[in-house]
Amino acid sequence: MSGNNQEIKKENPLGYAPIMGLIRKFAIPSIISMLVNAAYNITDQIFIGHVVGMLGNAATNVAFPVVTFTTAFAQLAGVGTAANFNISLGAKKEEEAKKYLGTGLTLMVVLGILMMCIVLVFKTPILLLCGATENVLPYAQLYLGITAFGLPFLLFTNAGSTLIRADGSPTYSMACTVTGAILNVFLDWLFMFVFQWGIQGAALATITGQCISFIMCLGYFPRFKTFKIRFSMLGLRVKYVIEIVKLGTSNFINHTIMMLVNIVLNNTLTHYGAMSVYGSDIPLAVSGVIAKLNSILASFAVGLAQGCQPILGFNMGAKNYDRVKETYTKAVTAALIISVLAFGIFQAFPHQLTGIFGTGDELYFQFAERYLRIYMFMVCVYGIQPVSVNYFTSTGNVHQGIILSLSRQGFFLIPLLILLPLFLGLDGVLYAGPIADFLACALSLAMVSRNFRQLTQMGRK
């Protein structure tokens, strides 16, 4: 084993450098990239809340599942390609790594164009499915009708950034999304406050920022560090598409289930909200605001998980099992620290946090504070599940990754969102969140513990 380690040391620091230093190197830019990606939607929500009002916030909420579903395909292509790419490099199979990269880049383009076409053709049915009410639908149609043209840019940037990190350039990966997001913030102000274009201005600002990020991301690949990318490498090779899908499926399912949760949540809130003093529109608008706040925490957790992907994948391929376990342990510790801090902030400042996204009447803030404190009560353990999902994906454990991806949102949250309101009404929606978080955390730790025992046995052989 020591001879193998010396060989790795000459080739790639992923196999020998201190784990915590590697996590900082890869995870911090990844977290910033995820935060900036969330900023696209948060900035729109803030400006729309102040310029358009509560119905504008509700409109972006019912359009958000489309963004989540696009991100799911970005994860499918990006994480699946990067995981196979790093595992191939760790196993010293450079030709395989080239084929995975070329196939993955082509897949990203195809999926982005396909998403745009589907959303443009079925825009209104999609919005109605996502819970749009009669008052909200016109705003949502305007917003989604424009942002749909940015979906190919969004998908390629999200997926491509994962490949750029896998190539050892996490800072450039971060710069791609940061640049677009800064432009998006400026254009939101210009289009909505100066030009007074309303919700259409927010949509135009979003796709402009996404286009700039896409151009920067695309410009990296002619300068790829691991090897030179040639046009002959591009194409949809069925064998490699299948392998990419295998390792990207757990992340894809995780985001797809997030989309389904958003749809079920919106429809449940409007249904039971109509039976309460809050009505249908207040719960729908508040849900969108809380989702944006939660996306900040998710950016830390998912960014940390993605930043560990090259470290986990390479060392799994090189059979350095102790480094694999150490990477996960330190990543989960960091995720817990972040989650506990988020819990304290959410519980202490609910009114101030929701007030950032615009004004509302007394009933609006009453429900917003209650929603944030109850629904987000177990965020103190939130980071464990996404880190664990990415752990299984990055190490090639496809089935475990898929099961864990389905757990929090699919196995627990969706059934709870349907069943609890039957007995508790609107409160049932709120209590579904913390129960699902706790159950997902317990399952994650149990599955990883079992995998650790298997790695220990493999290391002794």
Side-chain angles (χ1 to χ4, degrees):
M1 181 65 77
S2 60
N4 187 38
N5 283 342
Q6 289 174 1
E7 216 171 72
I8 290 169
K9 186 170 182 176
K10 294 177 183 177
E11 296 180 2
N12 199 318
L14 291 173
Y16 69 88
I19 294 295
M20 206 61 229
L22 288 171
I23 290 177
R24 282 195 297 269
K25 177 185 176 182
F26 285 92
I28 291 176
S30 178
I31 289 169
I32 293 174
S33 296
M34 293 296 296
L35 284 170
V36 170
N37 191 45
Y40 279 124
N41 302 299
I42 290 173
T43 304
D44 284 345
Q45 194 91 38
I46 292 171
F47 279 97
I48 289 170
H50 286 279
V51 175
V52 182
M54 184 184 72
L55 293 178
N57 275 336
T60 57
N61 184 26
V62 297
F64 193 64
V66 173
V67 174
T68 308
F69 199 42
T70 303
T71 306
F73 280 107
Q75 291 284 302
L76 180 74
V79 173
T81 302
N84 280 293
F85 172 80
N86 284 122
I87 290 172
S88 296
L89 287 181
K92 302 181 180 61
K93 297 178 180 179
E94 186 175 300
E95 287 304 312
E96 290 283 298
K98 288 180 179 180
K99 290 173 182 176
Y100 278 120
L101 187 69
T103 302
L105 288 171
T106 308
L107 185 63
M108 286 152 51
V109 174
V110 172
L111 290 175
I113 294 172
L114 187 62
M115 277 297 302
M116 179 186 69
C117 294
I118 291 172
V119 171
L120 287 173
V121 172
F122 300 104
K123 176 180 62 179
T124 300
I126 288 171
L127 291 170
L128 291 173
L129 175 67
C130 293
T133 63
E134 183 180 350
N135 295 329
V136 171
L137 185 60
Y139 293 98
Q141 288 172 320
L142 285 172
Y143 185 77
L144 186 59
I146 296 172
T147 55
F149 290 99
L151 295 179
F153 304 141
L154 174 65
L155 193 150
F156 190 95
T157 301
N158 281 345
S161 294
T162 306
L163 301 183
I164 293 171
R165 282 195 301 274
D167 189 45
S169 300
T171 304
Y172 188 89
S173 173
M174 173 189 70
C176 291
T177 46
V178 167
T179 305
I182 292 172
L183 179 63
N184 181 41
V185 172
F186 170 73
L187 292 179
D188 266 326
W189 168 80
L190 181 67
F191 293 165
M192 298 187 74
F193 280 95
V194 179
F195 295 165
Q196 297 184 344
W197 288 350
I199 201 166
Q200 298 100 313
L204 287 170
T206 295
I207 64 169
T208 305
Q210 289 169 345
C211 182
I212 296 301
S213 293
F214 162 76
I215 291 170
M216 288 186 63
C217 184
L218 186 65
Y220 176 86
F221 290 101
R223 299 176 283 114
F224 204 70
K225 293 194 301 186
T226 305
F227 42 69
K228 186 174 178 59
I229 298 176
R230 304 184 184 280
F231 281 107
S232 59
M233 292 165 54
L234 303 177
L236 291 177
R237 302 171 182 83
V238 175
K239 172 188 172 183
Y240 294 94
V241 169
I242 291 171
E243 294 303 314
I244 287 170
V245 169
K246 280 182 181 179
L247 294 191
T249 293
S250 60
N251 291 70
F252 171 79
I253 289 174
N254 199 32
H255 280 74
T256 302
I257 295 295
M258 285 169 60
M259 176 200 68
L260 293 175
V261 165
N262 199 181
I263 293 172
V264 172
L265 183 60
N266 287 348
N267 284 282
T268 307
L269 285 169
T270 55
H271 177 75
Y272 288 98
M275 302 177 187
S276 72
V277 295
Y278 304 110
S280 296
D281 293 331
I282 285 178
L284 194 61
V286 167
S287 176
V289 168
I290 304 305
K292 300 307 182 293
L293 288 172
N294 188 46
S295 71
I296 298 173
L297 175 58
S299 296
F300 279 101
V302 176
L304 178 63
Q306 289 186 355
C308 293
Q309 185 272 320
I311 310 167
L312 291 166
F314 184 91
N315 284 288
M316 190 67 183
K319 298 182 180 180
N320 289 334
Y321 302 128
D322 286 341
R323 289 177 64 81
V324 171
K325 291 188 287 185
E326 183 184 353
T327 301
Y328 173 83
T329 302
K330 290 183 174 177
V332 160
T333 302
L336 280 172
I337 293 171
I338 294 166
S339 298
V340 169
L341 288 173
F343 170 80
I345 293 170
F346 288 165
Q347 292 297 315
F349 306 106
H351 186 92
Q352 293 87 338
L353 290 171
T354 53
I356 293 171
F357 294 87
T359 57
D361 59 20
E362 185 180 345
L363 277 177
Y364 173 85
F365 280 108
Q366 182 186 97
F367 184 74
E369 292 177 35
R370 183 172 170 77
Y371 191 115
L372 184 57
R373 280 193 166 132
I374 298 175
Y375 192 79
M376 306 294 285
F377 186 75
M378 287 300 296
V379 293
C380 51
V381 296
Y382 175 85
I384 292 176
Q385 194 243 4
V387 170
S388 300
V389 168
N390 205 71
Y391 165 78
F392 285 118
T393 299
S394 301
T395 55
N397 293 285
V398 179
H399 298 299
Q400 292 94 323
I402 291 173
I403 291 170
L404 205 52
S405 290
L406 287 169
S407 64
R408 194 262 178 188
Q409 314 277 20
F411 296 154
F412 305 135
L413 187 54
I414 289 179
L416 288 168
L417 285 173
I418 294 170
L419 295 174
L420 287 183
L422 295 175
F423 306 99
L424 302 175
L426 195 57
D427 281 353
V429 180
L430 308 187
Y431 286 105
I435 295 172
D437 284 333
F438 174 78
L439 294 173
C441 170
L443 180 62
S444 298
L445 293 176
M447 290 180 65
V448 172
S449 296
R450 182 173 181 271
N451 182 264
F452 271 22
R453 290 193 295 270
Q454 292 173 342
L455 289 182
T456 300
Q457 292 173 357
M458 290 165 63
R460 290 171 180 168
K461 293 180 179 178

